[in-house]
Amino acid sequence: MTDMKANEIRDLNEAEIRQRIAEEERDITDLRFRRSVTGLENPIVLRQKRREIARMKTILREKSEEAGA
């Protein structure tokens, strides 16, 4: 999955964002396992995925605050 910009994430609804977060977390688990077994060709991918998850969680929190306010 490619890096999504904040504007692209904001266009998604809350359910889609939650689904993407779950997918990225599964990817991170898989990458960590592969890193420990064989090593990764590009270890920066882990950092990028963590940041993308953080970005999605931030936007999800913003959306829930807007809905609550």
Side-chain angles (χ1 to χ4, degrees):
M1 189 167 288
T2 62
D3 281 346
M4 293 183 68
K5 302 292 181 195
N7 293 337
E8 295 170 348
I9 297 170
R10 283 188 178 93
D11 291 338
L12 302 174
N13 64 35
E14 289 185 23
E16 291 172 332
I17 295 173
R18 284 190 174 91
Q19 180 183 0
R20 297 270 177 126
I21 290 171
E23 290 172 5
E24 292 295 327
E25 287 175 341
R26 280 192 298 271
D27 287 347
I28 284 180
T29 302
D30 181 53
L31 286 170
R32 285 182 178 153
F33 178 74
R34 279 196 276 157
R35 179 183 63 184
S36 66
V37 173
T38 60
L40 293 176
E41 184 176 312
N42 185 6
I44 302 300
V45 172
L46 281 170
R47 182 189 319 158
Q48 291 170 339
K49 291 210 176 270
R50 280 196 318 267
R51 288 181 179 177
E52 189 162 350
I53 289 172
R55 188 177 302 120
M56 286 189 276
K57 285 183 176 181
T58 299
I59 292 171
L60 186 63
R61 182 182 47 79
E62 289 172 357
K63 283 180 175 259
S64 65
E65 286 177 359
E66 288 175 4

